Amino acid sequence: MGLCQGKKNYKAEKIIVNQNTTNENLCVLVENLINKNEIGISQLPNYQLKSQITSCINYSYIESEIKLPTGEGYLEWTYEDGTRYEGQWKNKAPNGKGKLWLASGDIFEGQFIDGQLSQGSHFQTNGSTYTGEFINGLYHGYGQLIEFNGDSYSGQFENGMKQGKGVLKRNDGTLYDGEWKQDVKSGFGLCIWDDENRYDGQWEENLMHGQGVFYWKGRKYVGEYYQGQKHGKGKYYWNTNTYYDGEWIYGVQNGQGILVINQQIQKSGVWKDGVFQNKQ
């Protein structure tokens, strides 16, 4: 039964159709739940995933007889709990342009196919807005999400999560343009902070991880990162003529390395916790 399990009955208060009405059965489900096993591990809060799922109109459960159309037309429905739909109807489901108000206060508006929104907008009660593509009631494909706190994301979604390429702009001025996996930064991406520091390289689980370049205040680091810190082999430039080239452990010079000042090697050997120990 999946996402449409359970049943709930509603009474249609108003119906407007072009023609061809008969006795049918209506079961609208708006209290659907989703679990991590169905879509993989989610980084989104559970309430946000649940808020994406549009109401499921299901006729397989028959509880009460009300007059509904079998042909095409324009319908306006109001249900006992306040859920309301206005729009085009075909093949016993919303098909075409329509607008759905859920009892929770969320609103879905756009193009429906067989009862599911495929392209349109989701207006959440907390002030967040999504406009784009949907599959099975979840953000899926290209879309733009504007959060209630001013953050915005434009890019690819999959099963309700950021997946693929996209641009995140935070309300503090930070910008990330790159790849995502299950709602976290993962892959290659460019991040620019509000102080104009920037990192261009590989990410994993929202952290700088792999090869990358970090720029700040005229300085630059080129090399390896591990879980957000300089780790492995890397080159740190104070300017083009002065730099350290060698090994790092958790953000500090450790291991073999050289210090070049004004294009002259000043120190070459072993470093420990950022301090030169001895020559090679």
Side-chain angles (χ1 to χ4, degrees), residues 17-250:
V17 297
N18 292 340
Q19 59 182 356
N20 297 333
T21 61
T22 186
N23 286 335
E24 292 290 347
N25 303 284
L26 175 66
C27 179
V28 178
L29 313 176
V30 294
E31 64 284 341
N32 298 312
L33 298 177
I34 190 166
N35 61 58
K36 293 181 180 180
N37 292 330
E38 292 178 282
I39 62 169
I41 298 175
S42 169
Q43 300 297 325
L44 284 178
N46 195 39
Y47 76 86
Q48 187 169 345
L49 282 172
K50 286 196 290 184
S51 72
Q52 290 180 30
I53 305 172
T54 60
S55 68
C56 172
I57 299 176
N58 190 325
Y59 293 87
S60 61
Y61 300 103
I62 301 175
E63 287 290 333
S64 61
E65 297 277 340
I66 62 175
K67 202 172 183 67
L68 289 175
T70 57
E72 299 181 37
Y74 177 87
L75 281 81
E76 295 182 10
W77 301 339
T78 301
Y79 306 109
E80 291 176 344
D81 71 344
T83 299
R84 182 160 56 101
Y85 173 77
E86 294 182 6
Q88 298 299 315
W89 171 270
K90 184 181 180 180
N91 297 331
K92 298 184 179 181
N95 271 286
K97 189 175 181 180
K99 190 171 184 178
L100 179 68
W101 292 262
L102 296 186
S104 65
D106 284 12
I107 300 173
F108 293 86
E109 182 176 16
Q111 290 294 127
F112 287 80
I113 298 178
D114 295 330
Q116 293 283 352
L117 189 64
S118 64
Q119 179 81 38
S121 298
H122 174 201
F123 304 95
Q124 298 184 39
T125 54
N126 65 4
S128 298
T129 301
Y130 170 83
T131 300
E133 298 174 290
F134 294 76
I135 287 184
N136 296 325
L138 294 172
Y139 308 160
H140 193 100
Y142 183 83
Q144 181 180 48
L145 176 64
I146 301 176
E147 300 279 7
F148 67 92
N149 63 358
D151 293 351
S152 67
Y153 170 84
S154 299
Q156 297 294 322
F157 287 83
E158 186 175 310
N159 291 326
M161 294 176 286
K162 303 177 188 74
Q163 179 87 11
K165 293 185 178 181
V167 178
L168 174 67
K169 296 180 181 178
R170 295 200 177 276
N171 58 16
D172 63 2
T174 302
L175 179 145
Y176 173 80
D177 184 353
E179 296 177 307
W180 298 78
K181 183 178 181 181
Q182 292 191 343
D183 216 49
V184 299
K185 304 178 189 73
S186 186
F188 286 91
L190 168 67
C191 187
I192 303 174
W193 285 266
D194 60 339
D195 57 6
E196 297 186 354
N197 291 345
R198 59 193 174 100
Y199 169 81
D200 191 0
Q202 292 177 291
W203 296 76
E204 186 174 301
E205 296 293 330
N206 279 333
L207 296 173
M208 299 174 288
H209 190 90
Q211 290 289 334
V213 183
F214 198 107
Y215 304 84
W216 69 105
K217 299 178 181 178
R219 289 179 270 179
K220 179 174 69 172
Y221 171 81
V222 182
E224 296 176 289
Y225 277 87
Y226 178 77
Q227 295 183 350
Q229 298 188 69
K230 297 182 283 290
H231 192 91
K233 292 185 178 180
K235 201 169 184 178
Y236 182 96
Y237 292 85
W238 285 267
N239 56 56
T240 55
N241 298 320
T242 302
Y243 57 88
Y244 167 84
D245 186 1
E247 297 175 307
W248 300 74
I249 296 178
Y250 296 114

